[in-house]
Amino acid sequence: MGRVVAVASIVLALFSSVCLARDTTHFFPIEEAMTSSDAKAKLNAGITFHFASSPSGAKVITSAVANRKTNAFGKSDEKACKWVFLSAMIALQDRAVKEGADAVTNIVSYYKKNERSSETEYECHAGAIMAGVALKGDIVKLKK
């Protein structure tokens, strides 16, 4: 019986360490992610994106939040973050198309509803098995 308790204690200790999730905050370059071959293949050239700014004359239709997660197991944090950033960008793009808009402006990182505005970096949180990016932006009509 003592051996069963010892084994159970070891298994519980190992399981507990796995459950303590890593949550590393990264700030990666937007330009690098937006000019990747994946981004060029998946983002619609008819929708423009503006980070932390909005061109004059933009008619705001609505605001949108894209909160995406991806499997990070066996991937570098950078690779997982680029992938999930692109997923969030596609979600904003899809919302713009749905609303009849031609741009997403004022895009900011919005992880756990904490807004971080940058024209050059996005925020990503990576763990042992998941990575996440949340973005918020205005869905707008620029062209008349």
Side-chain angles (χ1 to χ4, degrees), residues 103-123:
V104 183
T105 65
N106 294 316
I107 301 170
V108 296
S109 292
Y110 197 59
Y111 199 81
K112 292 186 179 178
K113 297 185 180 178
N114 294 313
E115 201 170 295
R116 181 179 184 278
S117 180
S118 174
E119 292 181 353
T120 59
E121 295 177 321
Y122 67 93
E123 180 177 355

Side-chain angles (χ1 to χ4, degrees), residues 127-141:
I129 57 171
M130 298 293 288
V133 168
L135 301 173
K136 181 172 85 166
D138 293 329
I139 307 300
V140 306
K141 188 78 171 164

Side-chain angles (χ1 to χ4, degrees), residues 24-91:
T24 305
T25 303
H26 294 285
F27 300 100
F28 289 114
I30 292 167
E31 184 175 353
E32 191 176 302
M34 293 294 289
T35 58
S36 71
S37 58
D38 286 332
K40 288 178 182 177
K42 296 178 189 257
L43 292 177
N44 180 340
I47 304 294
T48 60
F49 300 99
H50 304 269
F51 293 86
S53 67
S54 182
S56 61
K59 180 183 175 222
V60 177
I61 297 170
T62 190
S63 293
V65 173
N67 186 355
R68 297 292 184 262
K69 306 283 189 243
T70 193
N71 179 353
F73 185 75
K75 298 179 185 117
S76 70
D77 287 358
E78 184 175 8
K79 183 174 183 177
C81 285
K82 278 184 183 177
W83 185 259
V84 74
F85 170 79
L86 180 57
S87 176
M89 292 300 296
I90 291 168

